[in-house]
Amino acid sequence: MAKLRWRVTLVAERPSGVTTETELACIERDQQTGLADLGLSLAEAKQVTAALQAEIVPAQMTVLGECPRVCEACGRRLASKGSSAARFRSLFGDVPVRVRRWLVCPCGGKGEAKSVAVLDFGRGAAVAPEFAYVTAQYAALMPFGKAAALLSELLPVSGTQHASTVRNRTLRVGTQVVRAHAAARANEPALSASGPVVVGLDGGYIRHRHRADGRRFEVIAGKVIHADGAQHRVAFTRTGPAATAEAFRAALAAVGVNVDTPATVLCDGDAGLWRLQREVLPGATVVLDWWHAAVRFEHALQAARGLGANTAEASLADTAVRGLERAKWRLWHGRWPGCRRRLAALSRWMQRRPVRDVAGVDKVRQHIAALLGYLERNEAALVHYATRRRGGEPIATSFVESAVDEIISWRMAKAQQMRWSRATVQPFLDVRTTVLNDTLEDAFRRRHPGFRPANENQRLAGAAA
Ligand SMILES: [Zn+2]
């Protein structure tokens, strides 16, 4: 039986009026068709797009090289310095190209003649921005090896994509695209937060690449919630105090928050996190996470309930429990001095006879001492929790803990076998938070004019309708 056959031909129309035709592919099917050979296969789609790309890219490079260039300073035409071979690594394959170079005009008075390429191909190869974008987007959401497999499966990218290639490309996006975007955003006054913001901070650990440097190092993750409800994640490594404060300042600036922005900062009471806040947002309202305090009360209460168990002194447990519950109630209602007096009195009571001889009393006292120390260290961040809660203001850092999970734990500590170093982790954190904040496209748009114009999706949707 005769085969069904479709020839895919590319018709190129040059401005000169010359038209050329190139056959890209031929698709054949038997007349008897099953579901599996209905329509294009992935392999055929890859072949067609790769063949298209292999035609279009060199043609564009040729036209670009033929355009005369003039010196911006004196208007003189630049002399050609020939061309060099390079590769364009794209979503639709690796395309060999010739890159035209121009001699820099001597009018600048520079001694040695330098040349400039018609497009920046770096050291012999350029990655298409959209390829870098797609790679970084998926590498931020799944292990590098999986991202490599996905790209190879769906796209005619040349050769097998390796986890290490995906990783290196993603880190380059972090240093060259995301970092530059964040720095530029920080200088845009229009971006400044218009209303008050809530900043939550928390820490997490990442395994270190080199055991000798200590097995883990710390990453600080946070969330910034704007008055309009918009949320942005931030993440940076904890290094020296000055560098960490600088990283925090830069991360906040990139989401429009600076020293003058009215802010509330919440954390779990880590002294280092408060130091960061004092350094970068000294005017902020500080709030100790309620649940971290409540958990410490709960530990003391559990120990108190067991006081004098199975003995004649079991009623002492009631006294201790009541004392702790009243102290907690005072803390909740913003009465820290009263809470402290209660806890101190309880502690003194447990040092007197006959209570001090009761089984389990040492444990209760230890818990109360730890609780008291914790609250004293965080005295400045104890607020009227009940009032804040009634007013709908945050009293807990749970909204940050989810960010820590998203940014650090899932990807970098638990599931991944990947080991990190300080040099590689920051660019990756930058890519990951940008993807989670849904701003990676903006970052590419700033770096590469013409990259996915902001209204492109509507335009395509309109054309399809
Ligand atoms: Zn010149």
Side-chain angles (χ1 to χ4, degrees):
M1 210 185 295
K3 294 238 179 199
L4 300 174
R5 188 170 290 127
W6 294 267
R7 293 188 189 285
V8 183
T9 303
L10 180 67
V11 181
E13 295 175 354
R14 296 287 159 84
S16 60
V18 178
T19 300
T20 56
E21 292 193 9
T22 317
E23 182 164 326
L24 298 184
C26 180
I27 294 157
E28 287 188 345
R29 290 288 187 279
D30 290 331
Q31 294 187 25
Q32 292 297 320
T33 298
L35 278 178
D37 48 10
L38 191 59
L40 274 182
S41 70
L42 187 51
E44 286 162 344
K46 285 183 185 184
Q47 190 207 335
V48 170
T49 50
L52 250 181
Q53 187 82 322
E55 287 297 320
I56 293 175
V57 171
Q60 281 185 290
M61 289 302 292
T62 302
V63 170
L64 195 60
E66 283 165 356
C67 279
R69 284 261 176 125
V70 298
C71 170
E72 284 176 12
C74 70
R76 207 178 326 181
R77 271 180 77 154
L78 298 182
S80 168
K81 195 182 178 270
S83 62
S84 55
R87 300 190 80 77
F88 182 58
R89 305 196 193 287
S90 78
L91 284 161
F92 310 107
D94 248 25
V95 185
V97 290
R98 301 291 307 177
V99 185
R100 163 79 65 158
R101 301 192 71 86
W102 301 100
L103 283 169
V104 171
C105 181
C107 76
K110 299 274 160 56
E112 50 182 315
K114 287 195 175 141
S115 69
V116 57
V118 74
L119 272 183
D120 183 12
F121 269 73
R123 274 168 295 175
V127 177
E130 203 168 30
F131 192 14
Y133 169 80
V134 170
T135 304
Q137 175 85 21
Y138 288 101
L141 300 171
M142 60 177 80
F144 296 134
K146 287 242 167 31
L150 177 77
L151 294 174
S152 299
E153 169 92 28
L154 295 179
L155 296 164
V157 290
S158 292
T160 316
Q161 288 288 297
H162 294 289
S164 58
T165 311
V166 167
R167 170 181 180 273
N168 293 341
R169 245 169 229 169
T170 304
L171 297 183
R172 266 201 300 280
V173 167
T175 52
Q176 297 174 358
V177 180
V178 175
R179 190 66 62 81
H181 180 58
R185 275 173 71 102
N187 291 322
E188 286 169 9
L191 189 86
S192 291
S194 47
V197 294
V198 174
V199 180
L201 290 174
D202 201 358
Y205 288 90
I206 289 177
R207 280 181 305 182
H208 208 285
R209 189 180 176 83
H210 305 290
R211 283 292 166 110
D213 297 343
R215 283 180 51 238
R216 311 186 303 166
F217 60 93
E218 193 175 3
V219 167
I220 294 168
K223 235 184 208 178
V224 179
I225 304 181
H226 291 256
D228 63 3
Q231 300 195 1
H232 296 278
R233 297 151 191 85
V234 297
F236 47 93
T237 51
R238 180 179 268 184
T239 48
T244 309
E246 201 35 62
F248 183 37
R249 195 173 287 121
L252 288 178
V255 298
V257 175
N258 61 41
V259 69
D260 300 320
T261 312
T264 301
V265 177
L266 291 100
C267 86
D268 61 7
D270 179 288
L273 295 180
W274 286 141
R275 215 175 300 126
L276 264 184
Q277 167 269 316
R278 283 195 300 272
E279 186 86 11
V280 178
L281 294 172
T285 302
V286 291
V287 178
L288 178 69
D289 173 63
W290 169 253
W291 298 108
H292 275 82
V295 158
R296 283 173 166 79
F297 268 105
E298 198 44 50
H299 289 158
L301 277 162
Q302 264 171 28
R305 285 187 197 105
L307 215 51
N310 308 319
T311 68
E313 288 103 351
S315 69
L316 292 176
D318 293 341
T319 313
V321 166
R322 225 176 309 124
L324 279 165
E325 275 170 350
R326 283 181 184 158
K328 187 180 171 189
W329 188 86
R330 283 177 182 166
L331 188 66
W332 175 248
H333 288 281
R335 291 159 58 185
W336 158 237
C339 167
R340 169 153 58 184
R341 268 198 307 279
R342 264 282 152 187
L343 292 175
L346 207 53
S347 203
R348 281 196 304 276
W349 171 70
M350 282 186 280
Q351 279 168 290
R352 287 197 299 264
R353 277 180 202 285
V355 191
R356 74 177 185 200
D357 300 323
V358 173
V361 80
D362 285 345
K363 208 166 151 218
V364 183
R365 274 187 51 213
Q366 277 164 22
H367 278 298
I368 291 176
L371 172 61
L372 208 44
Y374 176 73
L375 295 175
E376 279 166 354
R377 282 194 302 281
N378 290 287
E379 196 164 46
L382 300 175
V383 295
H384 197 308
Y385 291 99
T387 303
R388 284 187 68 87
R389 169 77 152 243
R390 270 198 303 278
E393 294 171 301
I395 55 166
T397 55
S398 40
F399 73 97
V400 200
E401 280 151 27
S402 66
V404 174
D405 279 347
E406 279 177 326
I407 297 164
I408 306 168
S409 315
W410 169 74
R411 176 63 195 269
M412 304 173 95
K414 289 176 193 159
Q416 287 283 85
Q417 290 309 303
M418 199 80 201
R419 291 184 187 278
W420 299 87
S421 70
R422 284 192 200 282
T424 58
V425 80
Q426 189 61 53
F428 183 74
L429 288 173
D430 290 342
V431 171
R432 184 149 172 77
T433 48
T434 305
V435 168
L436 292 170
N437 290 336
D438 205 14
T439 53
L440 187 62
E441 221 177 68
D442 294 338
F444 269 87
R445 228 171 258 141
R446 186 187 298 276
R447 162 92 180 184
H448 298 286
F451 178 84
R452 292 194 174 181
N455 56 358
E456 182 79 349
N457 288 344
Q458 286 105 301
R459 196 180 60 78
L460 289 176

